[in-house]
Amino acid sequence: VAGWNINAAFGYVHEGTNTNPGASPDGSDCNPTSSGFGCAGDGIERPPSGRQGPDPTSPLIPPDNQTESPYNQGSIKSNYVMFAVGFSKGF
């Protein structure tokens, strides 16, 4: 099409709320230390299938050997808005 074209787009993504309670077996916070691994810092780690909440991952270490150190405890509410404007010139 000859002439100028203006295009606009708008989008909204609502992802809801993600709630991750405390990751200890009793529902309290998980606080491993640098010298005491495991959720309670007692050196006892649960297998990945028995953990609550995601651990920071290292792609170089097999999942069964990753240290237990959950993050993202609490609630996360997320959404985002997208807006785009484009111009084109036809000849």
Side-chain angles (χ1 to χ4, degrees):
V1 174
W4 285 94
N5 291 313
I6 300 174
N7 301 303
F10 174 82
Y12 174 77
V13 177
H14 177 75
E15 296 180 339
T17 302
N18 180 10
T19 300
N20 181 17
S24 290
D26 63 358
S28 62
D29 286 343
C30 185
N31 294 310
T33 65
S34 59
S35 60
F37 296 108
C39 208
D42 57 5
I44 299 171
E45 293 189 347
R46 296 175 287 178
S49 62
R51 300 177 186 177
Q52 292 176 304
D55 294 320
T57 58
S58 172
L60 300 176
I61 300 173
D64 289 339
N65 295 335
Q66 306 245 352
T67 55
E68 183 174 12
S69 182
Y71 64 98
N72 288 343
Q73 294 178 24
S75 293
I76 300 170
K77 295 180 181 181
S78 58
N79 59 60
Y80 53 96
V81 176
M82 300 171 285
F83 183 72
V85 176
F87 299 93
S88 60
K89 172 75 171 136
F91 298 96

XYZ file of all heavy atoms in Angstrom:
659
model
N 0.858 -1.170 0.000
C 0.000 0.000 0.000
C 0.903 1.232 0.000
O 1.792 1.354 0.841
C -0.929 0.002 1.234
C -1.714 1.269 1.310
C -1.810 -1.212 1.231
N 0.670 2.128 -0.928
C 1.469 3.348 -1.000
C 1.100 4.270 0.159
O -0.024 4.270 0.656
C 1.225 4.050 -2.326
N 2.048 5.080 0.581
C 1.823 6.030 1.673
C 2.313 5.478 3.002
O 2.957 4.441 3.087
N 1.991 6.225 4.023
C 2.414 5.854 5.377
C 1.353 4.995 6.066
O 0.173 5.224 5.919
C 2.646 7.119 6.215
C 3.913 7.827 5.867
C 4.059 8.863 4.991
C 5.201 7.542 6.378
N 5.349 9.246 4.931
C 6.095 8.448 5.780
C 5.703 6.619 7.280
C 7.451 8.454 6.059
C 7.053 6.627 7.564
C 7.909 7.531 6.958
N 1.810 4.042 6.826
C 0.934 3.218 7.667
C 1.379 3.353 9.118
O 2.572 3.338 9.412
C 1.010 1.738 7.273
C 0.389 1.473 5.932
O -0.705 1.940 5.665
N 1.090 0.729 5.097
N 0.418 3.496 9.988
C 0.695 3.529 11.425
C -0.013 2.335 12.050
O -1.203 2.129 11.844
C 0.187 4.835 12.070
C 0.868 6.035 11.434
C 0.425 4.806 13.571
C 0.306 7.363 11.929
N 0.739 1.546 12.810
C 0.195 0.368 13.479
C 0.397 0.517 14.982
O 1.454 0.949 15.427
C 0.910 -0.906 13.011
C 0.780 -1.097 11.521
O -0.324 -1.159 11.012
N 1.899 -1.160 10.823
N -0.610 0.176 15.743
C -0.508 0.225 17.200
C -1.008 -1.085 17.781
O -1.926 -1.710 17.244
C -1.316 1.385 17.758
N -0.394 -1.496 18.865
C -0.796 -2.735 19.534
C -0.739 -2.527 21.044
O 0.077 -1.768 21.551
C 0.123 -3.878 19.127
N -1.616 -3.208 21.749
C -1.673 -3.135 23.195
C -1.912 -4.539 23.730
O -2.666 -5.317 23.143
C -2.823 -2.209 23.633
C -3.053 -2.186 25.110
C -2.273 -1.385 25.925
C -4.030 -2.974 25.685
C -2.476 -1.363 27.302
C -4.244 -2.969 27.064
C -3.459 -2.154 27.858
N -1.269 -4.880 24.800
C -1.483 -6.190 25.409
C -1.348 -6.115 26.914
O -0.613 -5.291 27.451
N -2.091 -6.964 27.595
C -2.024 -7.050 29.051
C -1.919 -8.527 29.424
O -2.697 -9.349 28.952
C -3.282 -6.436 29.684
C -3.347 -6.619 31.181
C -2.585 -5.825 32.025
C -4.160 -7.590 31.744
C -2.634 -5.983 33.398
C -4.222 -7.757 33.120
C -3.453 -6.956 33.942
O -3.500 -7.122 35.299
N -0.948 -8.867 30.245
C -0.773 -10.239 30.703
C -0.944 -10.250 32.213
O -0.220 -9.570 32.939
C 0.624 -10.777 30.321
C 0.816 -12.182 30.866
C 0.803 -10.753 28.815
N -1.927 -11.010 32.675
C -2.183 -11.149 34.104
C -1.768 -12.549 34.516
O -2.326 -13.539 34.035
C -3.668 -10.920 34.405
C -4.001 -11.119 35.846
N -3.667 -10.197 36.805
C -4.614 -12.129 36.490
C -4.071 -10.644 37.982
N -4.650 -11.816 37.818
N -0.761 -12.640 35.382
C -0.248 -13.940 35.788
C -0.736 -14.374 37.159
O -0.358 -15.419 37.650
C 1.277 -13.926 35.741
C 1.795 -13.725 34.332
C 3.297 -13.711 34.255
O 3.957 -13.471 35.282
O 3.816 -13.935 33.162
N -1.542 -13.573 37.797
C -2.107 -13.964 39.082
C -1.100 -13.893 40.212
O -0.095 -13.205 40.141
N -1.368 -14.632 41.273
C -0.529 -14.627 42.469
C 0.076 -16.005 42.679
O -0.607 -17.015 42.590
C -1.370 -14.244 43.705
O -1.944 -12.960 43.481
C -0.506 -14.189 44.950
N 1.364 -16.022 42.942
C 2.076 -17.259 43.242
C 2.500 -17.184 44.707
O 3.247 -16.304 45.091
C 3.295 -17.387 42.335
C 4.076 -18.652 42.588
O 3.636 -19.532 43.305
N 5.261 -18.732 42.008
N 2.008 -18.101 45.523
C 2.348 -18.099 46.941
C 3.173 -19.331 47.266
O 2.788 -20.454 46.952
C 1.078 -18.083 47.813
O 0.347 -16.900 47.505
C 1.430 -18.092 49.291
N 4.319 -19.107 47.868
C 5.199 -20.177 48.288
C 5.406 -20.025 49.793
O 6.055 -19.095 50.240
C 6.534 -20.075 47.546
C 7.489 -21.184 47.916
O 7.095 -22.198 48.463
N 8.759 -20.982 47.630
N 4.823 -20.911 50.588
C 4.988 -20.794 52.032
C 6.422 -21.101 52.435
O 7.257 -21.422 51.600
C 4.018 -21.851 52.575
C 3.941 -22.863 51.495
C 4.071 -22.087 50.207
N 6.691 -21.025 53.693
C 8.020 -21.400 54.176
C 8.383 -22.791 53.708
O 7.534 -23.675 53.619
N 9.637 -23.012 53.405
C 10.041 -24.257 52.765
C 10.479 -25.350 53.729
O 10.777 -26.449 53.317
C 11.163 -23.975 51.777
N 10.531 -25.061 55.024
C 10.862 -26.123 55.977
C 9.697 -27.109 56.062
O 8.566 -26.753 55.746
C 11.121 -25.528 57.360
O 12.324 -24.798 57.364
N 9.940 -28.333 56.487
C 8.844 -29.302 56.587
C 7.679 -28.821 57.455
O 6.538 -29.171 57.211
C 9.511 -30.537 57.201
C 10.942 -30.412 56.816
C 11.235 -28.935 56.802
N 7.970 -27.976 58.470
C 6.893 -27.477 59.333
C 6.271 -26.190 58.808
O 5.423 -25.598 59.460
C 7.406 -27.271 60.754
C 8.501 -26.212 60.847
O 8.902 -25.650 59.804
O 8.955 -25.940 61.979
N 6.690 -25.717 57.635
C 6.123 -24.508 57.040
C 6.844 -23.233 57.427
O 6.478 -22.160 56.971
N 7.888 -23.313 58.241
C 8.646 -22.119 58.599
C 9.672 -21.811 57.505
O 9.856 -22.586 56.566
C 9.333 -22.312 59.953
O 10.259 -23.385 59.885
N 10.342 -20.676 57.644
C 11.339 -20.292 56.643
C 12.510 -21.269 56.638
O 12.851 -21.869 57.644
C 11.863 -18.887 56.917
C 10.852 -17.821 56.566
O 9.898 -18.127 55.834
O 11.015 -16.685 57.023
N 13.120 -21.381 55.487
C 14.272 -22.249 55.305
C 15.516 -21.372 55.314
O 15.633 -20.470 54.495
C 14.121 -22.988 53.976
S 15.393 -24.207 53.687
N 16.415 -21.607 56.252
C 17.592 -20.746 56.383
C 18.881 -21.544 56.472
O 19.485 -21.651 57.530
C 17.452 -19.866 57.642
C 16.322 -18.884 57.518
O 16.227 -18.182 56.526
N 15.464 -18.839 58.516
N 19.347 -22.108 55.347
C 20.642 -22.778 55.393
C 21.745 -21.742 55.564
O 21.562 -20.566 55.263
C 20.729 -23.478 54.039
C 19.819 -22.712 53.159
C 18.743 -22.149 54.031
N 22.871 -22.167 56.072
C 24.017 -21.270 56.224
C 25.162 -21.790 55.374
O 25.116 -22.912 54.859
C 24.458 -21.191 57.697
O 24.930 -22.478 58.108
C 23.306 -20.751 58.596
N 26.210 -21.004 55.258
C 27.351 -21.432 54.446
C 28.066 -22.619 55.080
O 28.728 -23.390 54.399
C 28.318 -20.273 54.241
O 28.778 -19.803 55.495
N 27.956 -22.788 56.391
C 28.610 -23.920 57.045
C 27.630 -25.040 57.400
O 28.058 -26.138 57.719
C 29.313 -23.444 58.317
O 28.378 -22.886 59.213
N 26.330 -24.755 57.380
C 25.325 -25.765 57.717
C 24.311 -25.895 56.613
O 23.389 -25.103 56.518
N 24.508 -26.899 55.755
C 23.589 -27.100 54.650
C 22.273 -27.662 55.146
O 22.134 -28.033 56.296
C 24.204 -28.043 53.611
C 25.436 -27.484 52.967
C 26.682 -27.993 53.260
C 25.336 -26.436 52.074
C 27.813 -27.472 52.669
C 26.462 -25.904 51.473
C 27.709 -26.424 51.773
N 21.309 -27.751 54.265
C 19.991 -28.251 54.627
C 19.092 -27.105 55.027
O 19.548 -25.998 55.320
N 17.811 -27.364 55.030
C 16.842 -26.307 55.279
C 16.995 -25.695 56.669
O 16.870 -24.499 56.862
C 15.432 -26.863 55.104
S 14.250 -25.634 54.614
N 17.291 -26.510 57.667
C 17.421 -26.015 59.037
C 18.869 -25.720 59.403
O 19.160 -25.383 60.540
C 16.829 -27.035 60.007
N 19.778 -25.847 58.449
C 21.189 -25.635 58.743
C 21.799 -26.770 59.537
O 22.857 -26.620 60.137
N 21.139 -27.935 59.519
C 21.620 -29.074 60.302
C 22.398 -30.085 59.458
O 22.767 -31.149 59.947
C 20.449 -29.773 60.987
C 19.380 -30.238 60.001
O 19.591 -30.106 58.771
O 18.326 -30.717 60.460
N 22.642 -29.761 58.196
C 23.404 -30.651 57.323
C 22.575 -31.720 56.652
O 23.087 -32.495 55.847
N 21.282 -31.798 56.948
C 20.411 -32.813 56.347
C 19.613 -32.157 55.222
O 18.851 -31.226 55.457
C 19.458 -33.415 57.395
C 20.255 -34.083 58.508
C 18.509 -34.412 56.728
C 19.415 -34.508 59.695
N 19.836 -32.637 54.009
C 19.117 -32.099 52.858
C 18.084 -33.097 52.378
O 18.339 -34.300 52.342
C 20.085 -31.763 51.725
C 21.005 -30.620 52.064
C 21.807 -30.154 50.856
O 21.844 -30.857 49.837
O 22.385 -29.070 50.954
N 16.927 -32.590 52.003
C 15.882 -33.441 51.440
C 16.152 -33.647 49.955
O 16.772 -32.800 49.309
C 14.520 -32.788 51.632
C 14.135 -32.644 53.098
C 12.860 -31.887 53.253
N 13.110 -30.464 52.954
C 12.186 -29.526 52.965
N 10.948 -29.819 53.222
N 12.498 -28.281 52.695
N 15.663 -34.745 49.375
C 15.807 -34.915 47.923
C 14.976 -33.852 47.207
O 14.016 -33.313 47.775
C 15.262 -36.322 47.664
C 14.378 -36.606 48.818
C 14.941 -35.860 49.997
N 15.313 -33.496 45.971
C 14.567 -32.458 45.252
C 13.059 -32.700 45.205
O 12.282 -31.762 45.273
C 15.175 -32.491 43.848
C 16.569 -32.961 44.070
C 16.473 -33.961 45.208
N 12.628 -33.943 45.139
C 11.189 -34.218 45.075
C 10.476 -33.908 46.387
O 9.268 -33.732 46.414
C 10.951 -35.674 44.685
O 11.507 -36.537 45.675
N 11.198 -33.799 47.496
C 10.597 -33.526 48.782
C 10.729 -32.083 49.238
O 10.387 -31.752 50.360
N 11.240 -31.220 48.386
C 11.457 -29.822 48.744
C 10.272 -28.959 48.347
O 9.610 -29.208 47.355
C 12.716 -29.294 48.064
C 13.955 -30.058 48.464
C 15.170 -29.552 47.727
N 16.326 -30.394 48.012
C 17.516 -30.237 47.460
N 17.718 -29.267 46.591
N 18.496 -31.044 47.776
N 10.005 -27.940 49.160
C 8.989 -26.954 48.812
C 9.716 -25.719 48.302
O 10.636 -25.231 48.943
C 8.175 -26.560 50.039
C 7.302 -27.655 50.566
C 6.599 -27.198 51.833
O 7.228 -26.797 52.777
N 5.292 -27.272 51.813
N 9.290 -25.207 47.193
C 9.910 -24.004 46.651
C 11.109 -24.346 45.802
O 11.791 -25.346 46.024
N 11.390 -23.520 44.808
C 12.502 -23.791 43.902
C 13.846 -23.449 44.530
O 13.968 -22.539 45.329
C 12.210 -22.874 42.713
C 11.424 -21.750 43.305
C 10.628 -22.336 44.424
N 14.853 -24.216 44.178
C 16.228 -23.921 44.576
C 16.906 -23.179 43.436
O 16.589 -23.409 42.266
C 17.004 -25.222 44.815
C 16.484 -26.007 45.996
O 16.153 -25.375 47.012
O 16.416 -27.233 45.910
N 17.864 -22.310 43.739
C 18.655 -21.740 42.649
C 19.375 -22.891 41.951
O 19.964 -23.735 42.616
C 19.654 -20.825 43.355
C 19.099 -20.617 44.714
C 18.260 -21.808 45.030
N 19.295 -22.955 40.655
C 19.868 -24.101 39.951
C 21.215 -23.766 39.337
O 21.498 -22.632 38.998
C 18.935 -24.584 38.834
O 18.704 -23.496 37.942
C 17.627 -25.076 39.397
N 22.010 -24.776 39.223
C 23.289 -24.692 38.522
C 23.246 -25.743 37.428
O 23.153 -26.935 37.720
C 24.454 -24.975 39.477
O 25.655 -25.060 38.748
N 23.281 -25.323 36.157
C 23.146 -26.299 35.076
C 24.299 -27.299 34.990
O 24.182 -28.298 34.313
C 23.068 -25.436 33.815
C 23.589 -24.111 34.208
C 23.408 -23.962 35.675
N 25.398 -27.056 35.697
C 26.539 -27.963 35.637
C 26.466 -29.073 36.688
O 27.280 -29.982 36.683
C 27.838 -27.178 35.817
C 28.091 -26.090 34.760
C 29.344 -25.320 35.089
C 28.178 -26.709 33.378
N 25.493 -28.984 37.601
C 25.369 -29.969 38.682
C 24.065 -30.735 38.491
O 23.016 -30.130 38.298
C 25.361 -29.256 40.053
C 26.659 -28.461 40.250
C 25.182 -30.260 41.180
C 26.669 -27.609 41.494
N 24.103 -32.067 38.550
C 22.858 -32.843 38.415
C 21.858 -32.437 39.502
O 22.253 -32.095 40.623
C 23.315 -34.290 38.607
C 24.782 -34.288 38.340
C 25.277 -32.926 38.717
N 20.551 -32.483 39.209
C 19.542 -32.043 40.176
C 19.643 -32.717 41.541
O 19.427 -32.080 42.570
C 18.222 -32.391 39.497
C 18.534 -32.394 38.044
C 19.956 -32.879 37.939
N 19.968 -34.008 41.594
C 20.042 -34.701 42.883
C 21.218 -34.239 43.739
O 21.272 -34.541 44.930
C 20.120 -36.208 42.676
C 18.806 -36.776 42.177
O 17.763 -36.114 42.368
O 18.819 -37.869 41.602
N 22.180 -33.529 43.152
C 23.343 -33.062 43.913
C 23.273 -31.571 44.237
O 24.210 -31.033 44.820
C 24.633 -33.345 43.133
C 24.883 -34.829 42.978
O 24.411 -35.631 43.772
N 25.617 -35.210 41.954
N 22.190 -30.894 43.873
C 22.063 -29.462 44.142
C 21.780 -29.239 45.623
O 21.037 -29.990 46.240
C 20.925 -28.871 43.304
C 21.078 -29.156 41.841
C 21.292 -27.913 41.015
O 21.186 -26.811 41.507
N 21.590 -28.100 39.760
N 22.374 -28.198 46.180
C 22.138 -27.912 47.590
C 20.742 -27.338 47.784
O 20.202 -26.668 46.917
C 23.171 -26.919 48.135
O 23.158 -25.746 47.334
C 24.555 -27.511 48.132
N 20.174 -27.635 48.929
C 18.835 -27.155 49.254
C 18.938 -25.728 49.781
O 19.513 -25.473 50.836
C 18.195 -28.055 50.301
C 16.784 -27.652 50.640
C 16.106 -28.642 51.565
O 16.793 -29.517 52.132
O 14.884 -28.551 51.716
N 18.424 -24.800 49.027
C 18.455 -23.391 49.420
C 17.309 -22.674 48.723
O 17.504 -21.929 47.771
C 19.794 -22.764 49.035
O 19.839 -21.420 49.450
N 16.063 -22.916 49.161
C 14.907 -22.344 48.477
C 14.903 -20.825 48.498
O 15.443 -20.187 49.392
C 13.715 -22.882 49.259
C 14.239 -23.998 50.056
C 15.678 -23.734 50.284
N 14.301 -20.278 47.494
C 14.126 -18.832 47.408
C 12.695 -18.556 46.973
O 11.912 -19.466 46.756
C 15.136 -18.197 46.455
C 14.988 -18.630 45.016
C 14.304 -17.850 44.113
C 15.523 -19.827 44.569
C 14.151 -18.242 42.796
C 15.384 -20.220 43.258
C 14.700 -19.427 42.383
O 14.562 -19.810 41.092
N 12.360 -17.297 46.859
C 11.017 -16.864 46.458
C 9.952 -17.278 47.458
O 8.862 -17.668 47.092
C 10.637 -17.395 45.066
C 11.394 -16.709 43.969
O 11.958 -15.649 44.187
N 11.408 -17.292 42.801
N 10.256 -17.200 48.743
C 9.233 -17.486 49.738
C 8.358 -16.261 49.897
O 8.813 -15.137 49.786
C 9.880 -17.869 51.067
C 10.645 -19.178 50.972
C 11.337 -19.540 52.251
O 10.953 -19.108 53.314
N 12.371 -20.348 52.149
N 7.093 -16.482 50.125
C 6.137 -15.389 50.237
C 5.211 -15.390 49.032
O 5.047 -16.396 48.357
N 4.593 -14.252 48.755
C 3.664 -14.137 47.627
C 4.219 -13.184 46.586
O 4.783 -12.144 46.921
C 2.310 -13.619 48.108
O 1.698 -14.581 48.929
N 4.042 -13.559 45.344
C 4.474 -12.738 44.224
C 3.252 -12.480 43.349
O 2.603 -13.424 42.892
C 5.569 -13.445 43.394
C 6.788 -13.731 44.279
C 5.943 -12.617 42.188
C 7.806 -14.627 43.617
N 2.929 -11.230 43.152
C 1.842 -10.853 42.247
C 2.495 -10.286 41.004
O 3.380 -9.436 41.093
C 0.945 -9.800 42.887
C 0.220 -10.309 44.106
C -0.648 -9.251 44.715
C -1.329 -9.795 45.952
N -2.212 -8.820 46.569
N 2.065 -10.746 39.845
C 2.724 -10.281 38.632
C 1.742 -10.054 37.500
O 0.749 -10.755 37.357
C 3.800 -11.285 38.205
O 3.241 -12.551 38.003
N 2.032 -9.039 36.722
C 1.340 -8.742 35.476
C 2.190 -7.724 34.733
O 3.091 -7.131 35.303
C -0.081 -8.213 35.720
C -0.094 -6.951 36.542
O 0.486 -5.951 36.155
N -0.756 -6.990 37.673
N 1.932 -7.583 33.476
C 2.634 -6.558 32.719
C 1.791 -6.077 31.557
O 0.864 -6.742 31.114
C 4.030 -7.003 32.281
C 4.124 -8.301 31.526
C 4.150 -8.331 30.149
C 4.224 -9.510 32.208
C 4.263 -9.518 29.470
C 4.345 -10.703 31.536
C 4.364 -10.701 30.165
O 4.477 -11.884 29.490
N 2.137 -4.874 31.109
C 1.421 -4.208 30.026
C 2.416 -4.002 28.883
O 3.564 -3.632 29.106
C 0.868 -2.844 30.503
C 0.216 -2.109 29.352
C -0.112 -3.041 31.637
N 1.948 -4.249 27.681
C 2.793 -4.044 26.501
C 2.099 -3.067 25.556
O 0.881 -3.103 25.403
C 3.014 -5.372 25.773
C 3.692 -6.409 26.608
S 3.703 -8.034 25.825
C 2.011 -8.523 26.086
N 2.883 -2.211 24.952
C 2.354 -1.258 23.986
C 3.395 -1.088 22.894
O 4.586 -0.962 23.175
C 2.063 0.091 24.653
C 1.441 1.087 23.727
C 0.132 0.948 23.298
C 2.177 2.158 23.255
C -0.443 1.854 22.437
C 1.611 3.076 22.390
C 0.300 2.929 21.989
N 2.965 -1.110 21.669
C 3.892 -0.959 20.544
C 3.271 -0.061 19.478
O 2.060 -0.096 19.242
C 4.224 -2.321 19.936
N 4.110 0.752 18.864
C 3.688 1.609 17.753
C 4.683 1.368 16.614
O 5.892 1.324 16.830
C 3.698 3.100 18.148
C 3.346 3.974 16.947
C 2.738 3.358 19.281
N 4.160 1.203 15.422
C 5.028 0.999 14.265
C 4.616 1.893 13.104
O 3.430 2.211 12.928
N 5.594 2.337 12.359
C 5.368 3.151 11.167
C 5.991 2.445 9.975
O 7.066 1.867 10.092
C 6.033 4.535 11.326
C 5.504 5.334 12.478
C 6.134 5.266 13.722
C 4.408 6.142 12.335
C 5.650 5.988 14.781
C 3.923 6.876 13.396
C 4.547 6.799 14.637
N 5.323 2.471 8.852
C 5.898 1.904 7.636
C 5.540 2.788 6.441
O 4.512 3.477 6.425
C 5.414 0.475 7.412
O 4.007 0.429 7.288
N 6.406 2.774 5.464
C 6.224 3.591 4.258
C 6.161 2.662 3.061
O 7.058 1.843 2.845
C 7.397 4.570 4.125
C 7.442 5.344 2.827
C 6.405 6.421 2.803
C 6.647 7.307 1.581
N 5.454 7.626 0.879
N 5.055 2.720 2.345
C 4.909 1.896 1.144
C 5.279 2.688 -0.111
O 5.132 3.901 -0.162
N 5.782 2.006 -1.103
C 6.172 2.650 -2.375
C 5.388 2.080 -3.522
O 5.000 0.986 -3.582
C 7.676 2.473 -2.635
C 8.530 3.108 -1.591
C 9.038 2.376 -0.540
C 8.819 4.467 -1.647
C 9.827 2.948 0.420
C 9.620 5.044 -0.690
C 10.132 4.285 0.347
